[in-house]
Amino acid sequence: MKKTLIFLLYILLFFVNNNAYSQNIKKHVSWKYSTSKVSESEIDLVFTGTSEKNWHYYTLKDELNPLTITFEKSNDFKKVGNISEFPKPIKEYDSLMSANRSFFEHTGTFKQRVKYLSNKPFAIKGNIEYQACLLDGVCVMEN
């Protein structure tokens, strides 16, 4: 019984500590979100990422670690077209990784047009996942 109690306490402390650690992970790209009305039934969702000094992050068209933007399914809206990115990202061939890399060194903006399928108010929820790297090559996955 005592061993079981100690084991359960250990597991509890692991999850509490792990949760506290994961909430304190520093992000190297800050994000701002906005909308822009296109018509009575469409808006553009606008996501602008700004990296810290000496950091960059990979874009939608990176061959190894492309940025992804996903949305929770909803009957209240539908995506119209593909996500666009601007300004034009920096593109370089990485001979170490044998891949074409596409990244923003400071600020990049992404737009996704959506069409309303509902007249009631609703929220659009989603996630942005990307890889951010220091100029010396140290990289981290963030979302």
Side-chain angles (χ1 to χ4, degrees):
M1 176 71 176
K2 187 175 180 181
K3 286 183 182 180
T4 303
L5 186 57
I6 290 172
F7 178 73
L8 291 174
L9 182 60
Y10 174 76
I11 295 296
L12 178 64
L13 288 174
F14 173 78
F15 282 113
V16 168
N17 185 43
N18 193 34
N19 187 40
Y21 176 76
S22 66
Q23 290 178 0
N24 291 322
I25 294 175
K26 181 170 175 36
K27 304 290 184 189
H28 304 288
V29 179
S30 61
W31 291 92
K32 292 183 181 179
Y33 313 98
S34 63
T35 60
S36 175
K37 185 176 180 178
V38 177
S39 70
E40 290 302 315
S41 63
E42 293 182 338
I43 60 168
D44 282 337
L45 305 174
V46 182
F47 314 98
T48 302
T50 303
S51 59
E52 292 180 338
K53 184 178 179 183
N54 297 323
W55 285 81
H56 64 271
Y57 62 99
Y58 293 106
T59 69
L60 296 166
K61 295 187 175 32
D62 185 68
E63 287 185 0
L64 295 179
N65 295 305
L67 176 140
T68 60
I69 300 175
T70 56
F71 299 97
E72 290 182 13
K73 292 225 181 248
S74 172
N75 293 326
D76 295 321
F77 73 93
K78 73 174 183 177
K79 296 187 295 181
V80 177
N82 294 319
I83 298 170
S84 61
E85 63 186 10
F86 57 92
K88 187 175 178 181
I90 297 167
K91 294 184 178 186
E92 293 178 353
Y93 181 75
D94 184 333
S95 58
L96 180 64
M97 302 300 286
S98 299
N100 291 308
R101 308 307 308 261
S102 174
F103 58 92
F104 289 120
E105 281 190 331
H106 185 62
T107 299
T109 300
F110 305 87
K111 281 187 182 181
Q112 173 66 65
R113 184 157 294 170
V114 297
K115 181 178 179 96
Y116 299 133
L117 300 177
S118 173
N119 291 327
K120 65 180 180 171
F122 62 90
I124 298 175
K125 296 179 182 180
N127 190 43
I128 301 174
E129 293 182 281
Y130 55 94
Q131 185 176 50
C133 297
L134 263 171
L135 296 178
D136 68 4
V138 173
C139 298
V140 295
M141 292 300 295
E142 298 183 355
N143 66 0

